[in-house]
Amino acid sequence: MNFDFDLIGRSFPLLLMGAGVTIQITALSVGFGLLIGMFVGMARLSKTWLIKAAAAVYVDFIRGTPLLVQIFLIYFALPLVVGQRIDPFIAAITACSINSGAYVAEIFRAGIQSIDRGQMEAGRSLGMTWAQTMRFVILPQAFKRIIPPLGNEFIAMLKDSSLVSVIGFEELTRRGQLIIARTYGSFEIWLTVAFIYLMMTLTISRLVDYLERRYKIDDKH
């Protein structure tokens, strides 16, 4: 077998464009997932059983079903209900955000529960409302503790985003498939795709390590 370095050189710019789309999908999905997860995580700790039950059903359903099925539900099944075709980009972001939100909710719930209950009582005794105490006292402390699991969620979503290629969305994996279909250079292209994914996940890991060290140092001041 002859290893075709020239094929890698020609394909690399196209694969990098696909990697840019992958990062875009991941960043948007985890960003929306953070918002969803923060509210659902707090809902999981609600004293109102209906809110708590609804949040639990959402988390259990999303975590108990594959992301691929969720993508199919939104891209193929939902248009049958609403009577309108959904753009692949919107479907990809929606499915990945809803999926990420369920995992981030559990991360937030664990982070909030790790904060001493006395912090809430202290905030309330100072005249702050529950929401103010949560916003200014509990969440800032919890956020520092959930940086590592949030980093893991970002990396997991970056790799899982390759599943949106099944609806024809041209992120990194789909770009690789299209190049292989045209050139038959399967080994060279998949090796390059794997290398680009590795570079992205290593970069995110280093960034998370930096943020973790920085906030630990800030805590000591």
Side-chain angles (χ1 to χ4, degrees):
M1 174 184 170
N2 295 322
F3 195 85
D4 191 348
F5 287 100
D6 187 53
L7 173 61
I8 293 177
R10 294 195 311 273
S11 306
F12 203 69
L14 289 174
L15 293 174
L16 283 183
M17 290 172 64
V21 176
T22 293
I23 292 173
Q24 186 181 11
I25 294 173
T26 305
L28 287 172
S29 300
V30 175
F32 287 125
L34 275 174
L35 288 176
I36 297 170
M38 186 174 65
F39 287 109
V40 175
M42 288 191 288
R44 291 271 282 157
L45 300 173
S46 173
K47 292 180 180 178
T48 305
W49 73 268
L50 185 60
I51 296 175
K52 190 174 182 177
V57 168
Y58 162 71
V59 170
D60 289 343
F61 177 79
I62 296 299
R63 295 182 62 180
T65 55
L67 174 58
L68 185 60
V69 174
Q70 294 159 20
I71 293 171
F72 285 154
L73 273 174
I74 291 175
Y75 187 67
F76 294 113
L78 190 59
L80 299 177
V81 177
V82 299
Q84 187 173 357
R85 184 176 177 274
I86 299 177
D87 182 87
F89 181 76
I90 301 296
I93 296 297
T94 302
C96 292
S97 298
I98 291 173
N99 181 273
S100 182
Y103 289 92
V104 173
E106 288 302 275
I107 294 172
F108 263 103
R109 182 181 63 82
I112 291 171
Q113 287 181 320
S114 72
I115 305 299
D116 189 274
R117 290 186 177 181
Q119 298 279 328
M120 175 60 78
E121 294 169 1
R124 298 303 298 271
S125 67
L126 292 173
M128 300 172 75
T129 64
W130 181 89
Q132 288 173 328
T133 307
M134 188 62 74
R135 178 182 175 188
F136 296 112
V137 179
I138 305 298
L139 286 180
Q141 297 181 73
F143 185 76
K144 293 178 182 179
R145 296 186 180 183
I146 64 176
I147 287 175
L150 279 182
N152 291 336
E153 169 59 21
F154 199 98
I155 291 172
M157 181 49 64
L158 187 140
K159 292 184 289 186
D160 288 347
S161 67
S162 64
L163 293 173
V164 302
S165 63
V166 298
I167 58 175
F169 199 74
E170 292 190 19
E171 39 68 68
L172 177 56
T173 300
R174 179 64 176 168
R175 286 287 175 104
Q177 290 174 332
L178 293 175
I179 294 172
I180 291 168
R182 193 176 65 248
T183 63
Y184 301 103
S186 178
F187 182 73
E188 292 89 342
I189 297 303
W190 284 131
L191 190 63
T192 308
V193 168
F195 175 77
I196 294 173
Y197 272 115
L198 178 63
M199 290 299 101
M200 290 193 292
T201 55
L202 286 177
T203 301
I204 295 170
S205 295
R206 297 297 176 270
L207 180 60
V208 171
D209 289 343
Y210 167 76
L211 289 174
E212 192 177 0
R213 287 197 305 273
R214 177 177 176 181
Y215 280 114
K216 277 186 178 177
I217 291 171
D218 287 348
D219 275 348
K220 294 177 181 176
H221 288 172

